[in-house]
Amino acid sequence: MDTFLQLTASGIALGSVYAMVALGFVLVFKSTDVLNFAHGEFLMLGSFLALTFLVEWNLNIVFAIVAIAFIVAALGVALHYGIMKPLVGQPLFSVVLVTIGIAIVIRAFLLMTYGPLERGRILALPQGQLDIGNLVIPYVDIILFLVSSAAVVIFYIFFKSTTIGLQMRAVAENLEAAAAMGVSPNKVFAVSWGIGALMAGVAGVMYGNFTAVIDLNLAAIGLRAFPAAMIGGLDSVEGAILGGLIVGVSEQLAAGYFGGDFRDVVAFGLMFVVLMVRPYGFFGTKDLIRV
Amino acid sequence: MAVQILNESTEPTPGLLDVNNLEVVYNDSVVALRGVSITVPEGGFVSVLGTNGAGKTTLIRAITSLLFVHKGKIRDGEIELRGKRIAGSDSAKIVKAGICQVPEGRMLFPSLTVEENLRIGSSSRRNRAEINSDIERMFDLFPQIASRRKDVAGWLSGGEQQMVAVGRALMARPALLICDELSLGLAPQIVHTLFELLKQINQDEGTSILLIEQNARMALQYSKYAYILETGRVVLDGPSDVLESNEDVQEFYLGGAGEAAEAYATIKHYKKRKRWLL
Ligand SMILES: Nc1ncnc2c1ncn2[C@@H]1O[C@H](COP(=O)(O)OP(=O)(O)O)[C@@H](O)[C@H]1O
Ligand SMILES: [Mg+2]
């Protein structure tokens, strides 16, 4: 029982990061219909920038998070206007391939800048731990959970109660009708790409404080957004949050009980099971193939 | 009589909206409009009539720059709003410039609330206080939807949804309101209410109205000038009351020629005759 609670607690911390990553992934898909396979690279970029800001330059962590959020969001907006916008009207498949191209470029940039060697994890957060009975919860986990939750909650309020959030929901529902009412789809797309990238980038900073090593395999964590999003429903913001938590907790449990090799098996195995029972995930509505 | 209708002197003077010689194609292949010209004068109430597939909705998409959604393109011609060329500019800019529509099939956002649907209509505006007071104004205008403001729009009846769609377009405070098949699928009583409201908006606020209709009787009754569109061409236009008493129009559009096949045969004959008259 203690092991179970212990694993669940760290699963929730990890899952909250996944929720944030999945949220960004889902947001871009929901607004623009694009499955962004560079999402993991956005996350990785966040982690590496955190290395520079926190380890090399020793900057304040709050400042670093804000600065990295800003940089990655700007990159997302730039990608929209520079690459995705000219591709409007192209088949979904070609656009998805382009995102894979973007992923490769970011990866190459990181390889050239930081080299192929792995780095140790970032120690910018308080390293102590909280003891509750037999339960040991590192401060890092708590902070991870708090920051991710704050990001998710802030986004949720933004999405539900601001004008631009309303416009994002309208465009996701009926692009033509939204455009007919004077909403600028491009502005909405750009904001979605910006926020999507921001979520991944900030998650990258947080994960850099959690993982054992930082290297070019980190993008795989971004791909965890995929099962999380599929489980929750690809076009559901609520689903992404739930899916992220489910994947995080089951992954930690599987790793704890059966060994680390089971992480991927559980995340993707769970996805297959959910998709067999509910093809659109728990909250999803939208088919991947649209005409 | 028919010759008189087509006489140059009955053409309205250039006005709020001028469409000149518009040619539209879909997928670079299907020609949907072939040289269409229409004018909506400042404060005017104009209708465009025509059977299914005539190109009415295409005309609206061209005016509001929404052809891109349907892989359509303007191949030739001009669209001017108060003398300024607007063809091909951003759809958001066109709404801002004063044209907003009630789209065919309403196109509400079904999972957004009634109030959120109305608010989206104000996307081209900035002043929050004014927007909020306009939302209340819409609920005064349509008391039936006032009690449903927090309900999701998808739950409303067809008539209520159409009211939200009209209110949503009015939230843009348009100089020109375009309604595409407002009457389609609605009970006569609701259609009457909506048309009366359009008349009131047109008279009291000077909002110009462009009505797209298959229901020729209603449209001719409320509009002052009308165009008849067939397979992408304007085949007839004139003051609505003159068109209403025109025998061809009476026979083919007001006579309840319901069967499509019959209507098609007669229209062909009609067009030939018109060309000969010209
Ligand atoms: N998205 C589209 N792609 C190809 N052709 C279209 C499209 N929309 C309409 N059309 C064609 O353009 C013509 C005019 O259609 P439309 O403007 O919808 O007519 P109306 O509104 O008068 O019923 C029709 O022949 C129709 O088949
Ligand atoms: Mg139509």
Side-chain angles (χ1 to χ4, degrees):
Chain A
M1 193 61 200
D2 281 348
T3 320
F4 178 80
L5 286 179
Q6 187 67 58
L7 292 171
T8 304
S10 74
I12 289 173
L14 182 62
S16 66
V17 177
Y18 288 171
M20 195 166 148
V21 179
L23 188 61
F25 186 78
V26 160
L27 180 66
V28 169
F29 176 69
K30 196 174 160 69
S31 295
T32 69
D33 282 352
V34 175
L35 288 172
N36 174 24
F37 282 100
H39 201 62
E41 273 68 18
F42 287 167
L43 178 141
M44 193 157 72
L45 185 61
S47 303
F48 276 94
L49 285 176
L51 269 181
T52 303
F53 281 35
L54 296 170
V55 179
E56 287 175 28
W57 297 347
N58 244 320
L59 297 175
N60 173 284
I61 179 133
V62 177
F63 173 80
I65 289 176
V66 173
I68 291 170
F70 188 80
I71 292 170
V72 187
L75 176 70
V77 172
L79 282 179
H80 168 71
Y81 282 112
I83 298 177
M84 305 318 289
K85 184 182 165 198
L87 287 175
V88 162
Q90 299 297 319
L92 182 63
F93 184 67
S94 341
V95 180
V96 167
L97 281 184
V98 168
T99 69
I100 294 176
I102 295 171
I104 292 170
V105 172
I106 295 178
R107 185 173 281 271
F109 165 78
L110 290 177
L111 181 64
M112 287 186 293
T113 314
Y114 293 92
L117 298 177
E118 61 178 43
R119 315 283 187 102
R121 80 176 167 104
I122 302 164
L123 300 169
L125 296 174
Q127 296 302 312
Q129 60 192 42
L130 197 66
D131 296 286
I132 309 169
N134 290 328
L135 214 55
V136 178
I137 305 178
Y139 288 147
V140 172
D141 287 22
I142 297 172
I143 296 168
L144 220 61
F145 177 74
L146 291 179
V147 171
S148 309
S149 306
V152 168
V153 167
I154 291 171
F155 168 75
Y156 201 77
I157 293 170
F158 167 84
F159 196 55
K160 292 291 180 190
S161 63
T162 65
T163 302
I164 182 79
L166 176 62
Q167 292 186 347
M168 287 166 95
R169 287 180 287 145
V171 166
E173 199 143 294
N174 188 333
L175 179 119
E176 182 177 15
M181 292 306 124
V183 174
S184 164
N186 263 315
K187 195 173 101 188
V188 167
F189 291 170
V191 172
S192 302
W193 274 98
I195 296 177
L198 181 152
M199 288 286 175
V202 173
V205 179
M206 299 321 289
Y207 193 75
N209 284 277
F210 179 88
T211 180
V213 290
I214 294 175
D215 61 13
L216 289 169
N217 292 323
L218 219 58
I221 294 304
L223 279 189
R224 273 303 190 291
F226 202 68
M230 292 295 271
I231 288 170
L234 258 183
D235 60 345
S236 166
V237 164
E238 292 86 351
I241 299 168
L242 180 72
L245 288 172
I246 290 176
V247 170
V249 171
S250 39
E251 206 187 290
Q252 287 301 73
L253 288 174
Y257 284 117
F258 309 117
D261 292 342
F262 279 85
R263 282 178 186 281
D264 290 320
V265 180
V266 161
F268 284 90
L270 212 60
M271 177 179 95
F272 292 138
V273 172
V274 170
L275 290 189
M276 270 188 278
V277 186
R278 290 188 60 94
Y280 305 133
F282 284 121
F283 295 106
T285 53
K286 191 143 110 176
D287 207 327
L288 261 185
I289 298 155
R290 305 217 312 171
V291 278
Chain B
M1 184 67 183
V3 179
Q4 212 179 350
I5 289 169
L6 293 166
N7 198 312
E8 286 288 307
S9 65
T10 55
E11 288 267 322
T13 47
L16 180 64
L17 178 76
D18 286 290
V19 175
N20 291 318
N21 252 321
L22 194 67
E23 196 168 305
V24 171
V25 285
Y26 287 109
N27 301 310
D28 288 320
S29 56
V30 184
V31 184
L33 294 182
R34 311 156 189 272
V36 168
S37 301
I38 69 164
T39 292
V40 181
E42 199 83 52
F45 199 137
V46 173
S47 57
V48 174
L49 313 176
T51 49
N52 226 342
K56 306 182 297 296
T57 301
T58 302
L59 176 62
I60 305 315
R61 287 177 187 153
I63 294 170
T64 54
S65 270
L66 290 172
L67 283 170
F68 78 94
V69 183
H70 301 272
K71 296 192 164 49
K73 262 210 308 266
I74 295 178
R75 202 158 66 177
D76 203 7
E78 267 311 327
I79 303 172
E80 293 177 354
L81 182 69
R82 296 193 178 103
K84 265 183 66 185
R85 294 160 68 160
I86 56 166
S89 48
D90 204 60
S91 51
K93 285 206 184 99
I94 287 174
V95 178
K96 207 168 186 133
I99 302 179
C100 200
Q101 67 164 320
V102 183
E104 184 178 50
R106 301 188 277 269
M107 284 198 209
L108 287 187
F109 305 103
S111 78
L112 303 191
T113 65
V114 168
E115 191 178 329
E116 285 174 334
N117 269 276
L118 292 176
R119 196 173 288 281
I120 281 288
S122 66
S123 295
S124 56
R125 298 168 53 193
R126 285 275 163 272
N127 189 324
R128 268 196 102 83
E130 269 180 31
I131 290 170
N132 288 335
S133 87
D134 273 6
I135 287 178
E136 299 312 318
R137 217 165 55 89
M138 290 308 138
F139 288 129
D140 291 342
L141 218 51
F142 303 105
Q144 233 175 301
I145 55 170
S147 58
R148 316 285 309 263
R149 67 188 295 161
K150 297 289 177 201
D151 283 350
V152 159
W155 292 349
L156 272 54
S157 72
E160 290 167 337
Q161 289 197 10
Q162 194 63 285
M163 291 174 190
V164 178
V166 174
R168 184 179 65 171
L170 288 175
M171 285 299 295
R173 288 205 179 169
L176 173 64
L177 176 69
I178 304 178
C179 299
D180 194 351
E181 309 240 18
L182 198 64
S183 67
L184 203 71
L186 297 182
Q189 186 53 48
I190 292 169
V191 176
H192 181 79
T193 310
L194 288 174
F195 274 55
E196 280 299 317
L197 181 93
L198 294 183
K199 188 172 155 186
Q200 186 196 326
I201 292 166
N202 176 244
Q203 284 173 356
D204 298 355
E205 294 172 38
T207 306
S208 302
I209 291 174
L210 178 58
L211 208 59
I212 307 298
E213 271 297 332
Q214 284 195 53
N215 186 342
R217 191 175 300 280
M218 282 298 259
L220 288 177
Q221 196 184 321
Y222 280 88
S223 63
K224 297 199 179 66
Y225 199 91
Y227 295 82
I228 296 182
L229 204 62
E230 280 304 341
T231 51
R233 283 195 177 88
V234 174
V235 294
L236 191 64
D237 67 300
S240 300
D241 48 350
V242 179
L243 283 197
E244 214 175 352
S245 57
N246 175 275
E247 50 183 66
D248 289 334
V249 175
Q250 283 199 335
E251 192 179 341
F252 306 129
Y253 288 94
L254 303 173
E259 281 85 78
E262 192 190 327
Y264 182 65
T266 51
I267 285 155
K268 270 180 114 169
H269 154 248
Y270 167 83
K271 264 167 54 191
K272 271 187 204 128
R273 206 159 76 84
K274 276 283 150 325
R275 208 170 303 141
W276 184 79
L277 276 172
L278 278 166

